Amino acid sequence: MTMIEHVALLADTAVLSLCAEARLSPKPGLVDGRGGGAHDDMDLPLMLVSAEALRPAFHGIAQAAARTPAGAGLRERLGVLGRQGERAMSRATGGINTHRGALWALGLLVAAVAGGAAGERAAARAAARLAALPDRWVPAGEPSHGDQARRRYGAGGARGEAENAFPHVTEVALPRLRAGRAAGLGEEAARLDALLAVMSLLDDTCVLHRGGPDGLRAVRSGARRVLAEGGAGTGSGRAALMELDDELRARRLSPGGSGDLLAAALFLDMVPWPERVEQEVLACRR
């Protein structure tokens, strides 16, 4: 595969992961095929438009990382491309912040893979090194809702997740996703259980912004109950999931940070890593 093809593939995979997360249903409090969840200003078509609007940003990020050694120069270039992506997203959505957190997480992971990371954990570590580097050109302005919640409640937020090598992606979402598949769950149920596993543990700044610590406790305990009932693939688990969805909608609580990390997990799961391709080739020869 040429560099041009690899760059295009990574951009396609990033967009696909965002679309897969958006389409997954039923997600408690989040936008899905049923509607806007806890949001009055979002729906599934808008999320898909937003994902597509970010394709050029992901393409540029992958291209920059493939051509530029990892370091402060690349980090600042990624910042420029990310802010361009945010503006494209805003134009496409009429100013609605649909994927800002996901752009941060996926942008770093796309850069890590394009820069030569050979596996999921290597990509997460490389993304962490990039996230920790300074960006001199960050414009001054009002902090995001996530930043406000992070400062008020001491949560790590999207930045902390990235700087710690995405532990809720590599240690929570991906193992749960694959355990579900191995247990014979359908892909929808396996992905929902992966989302719920993240929700049960994450200090989600989207939830903290809207509901404070009490709201976060409700999200975490509700997700744990669904999993304790057997997860999204069982009757009792699905009933608990719908109860949680009703509660989060009523309280206007949206676990958007967990949704972003599920998209990141789906991206890493979809990347055709060299060892995975080799294993598939060997399996075909047997």
Side-chain angles (χ1 to χ4, degrees):
M1 184 184 298
T2 66
M3 186 193 77
I4 293 174
E5 291 171 333
H6 188 50
V7 162
L9 175 62
L10 291 177
D12 289 345
T13 305
V15 173
L16 180 59
S17 70
L18 289 177
C19 293
E21 187 279 329
R23 289 191 172 101
L24 181 63
S25 296
K27 298 195 301 290
L30 292 168
V31 176
D32 57 26
R34 302 167 302 150
H39 299 273
D40 295 324
D41 56 354
M42 298 183 197
D43 58 18
L44 179 57
L46 185 73
M47 298 297 284
L48 300 180
V49 166
S50 172
E52 184 58 39
L54 293 176
R55 184 185 300 275
F58 290 131
H59 191 280
I61 285 167
Q63 190 172 61
R67 292 177 172 176
T68 310
L74 175 60
R75 172 66 185 87
E76 291 177 349
R77 179 60 183 154
L78 297 182
V80 170
L81 292 166
R83 289 185 286 275
Q84 290 175 354
E86 286 186 17
R87 290 193 290 272
M89 175 189 73
S90 183
R91 288 193 297 271
T93 63
I96 298 170
N97 175 18
T98 42
H99 283 127
R100 187 178 186 187
L103 173 58
W104 163 256
L106 284 170
L108 288 168
L109 292 171
V110 165
V113 179
E120 294 161 359
R121 292 180 184 278
R125 291 192 297 269
R129 290 191 291 271
L130 284 170
L133 293 172
D135 181 354
R136 293 174 296 169
W137 311 120
V138 174
E142 184 177 349
S144 68
H145 291 160
D147 287 335
Q148 292 173 24
R150 180 171 57 86
R151 294 170 185 174
R152 181 175 180 181
Y153 299 110
R159 179 168 296 279
E161 182 73 17
E163 290 179 353
N164 285 291
F166 293 99
H168 289 88
V169 173
T170 60
E171 305 293 339
V172 179
L174 283 171
R176 187 79 194 206
L177 175 67
R178 289 163 182 166
R181 290 170 179 163
L185 291 180
E187 188 65 15
E188 177 189 88
R191 290 179 177 184
L192 285 171
D193 282 357
L195 172 65
L196 289 160
V198 176
M199 288 171 56
S200 73
L201 297 169
L202 184 69
D203 288 338
D204 194 320
T205 54
C206 295
V207 175
L208 284 168
H209 170 69
R210 291 191 176 200
D214 184 60
L216 183 63
R217 282 190 292 271
V219 168
R220 284 176 152 187
S221 63
R224 288 170 184 158
R225 178 169 175 262
V226 177
L227 294 173
E229 291 289 338
T234 69
S236 59
R238 184 58 66 106
L241 174 61
M242 301 316 297
E243 289 177 9
L244 176 60
D245 184 44
D246 288 342
E247 179 181 3
L248 298 194
R249 287 169 180 249
R251 296 179 63 171
R252 315 304 296 165
L253 298 176
S254 171
S258 297
D260 293 342
L261 295 181
L262 177 64
L266 294 177
F267 170 76
L268 291 177
D269 185 62
M270 293 174 186
V271 169
W273 302 104
E275 66 268 22
R276 183 180 301 163
V277 173
E278 183 179 351
Q279 290 170 2
E280 292 174 355
V281 170
L282 290 174
C284 288
R285 290 175 178 171
R286 294 192 184 107

